[in-house]
Amino acid sequence: MNCRDVEPLVLAGNDDTLTEVQRAAVAHHVATCPACRRLQAGVAAALSSYRADVAAVTVPEPETEWQRLRPRLPQPRPAAKRPLAPVVWLGSALAAAAAIAFAFLSPKPRPATPVVFSPDNEVVAEAEFVEAGNINASTMVYLDKESGWLVVWATDDAGAGTKG
């Protein structure tokens, strides 16, 4: 084992994560290598200092610390309440009045007059303009007596695409 292999193991050895085989290999190398021995001693000293510093820290009681800190914090000023501007109240009233006037004064839609079909009366349907994609197409207009729909068909000329 060389120094490059031992350095990460020396750092991990303080966490007790090494296997017995790794621990024996590190101990054998450190015994023969002065650079790795200094590294191991430095890591042990740093860890010891860290543990001493952690043990010396006192954690304050949160409620006591809050009571001590709270008076030093800037206090927010309460926001001044402003009454709604008269324009808002007036605007609401004007909008309501306009809606009522629109409802009463707008023209009422007339119900559609149903188309009554009987065998006696003849209904003529006409289409002002029908355009088909093919100039030779045949068009037909049909009025459905049950629904009152005007239906337009356009059929292609069967011989339009053939030469003869």
Side-chain angles (χ1 to χ4, degrees), residues 59-72:
V59 178
E61 174 66 31
E63 185 62 32
T64 306
E65 198 61 26
W66 173 246
Q67 294 302 327
R68 186 182 66 78
L69 178 65
R70 190 173 184 186
R72 297 190 319 205

Side-chain angles (χ1 to χ4, degrees), residues 8 23 27 38 41 45 69 74-75 78 116 119 146 152 164:
R23 189 169 291 135
R38 283 192 302 273
L69 178 65
Q75 298 299 320
V116 179
E146 289 181 22
V152 179

Side-chain angles (χ1 to χ4, degrees), residues 150-163:
L150 180 68
V151 181
V152 179
W153 277 284
T155 57
D156 288 338
D157 182 21
T162 60
K163 291 183 181 178

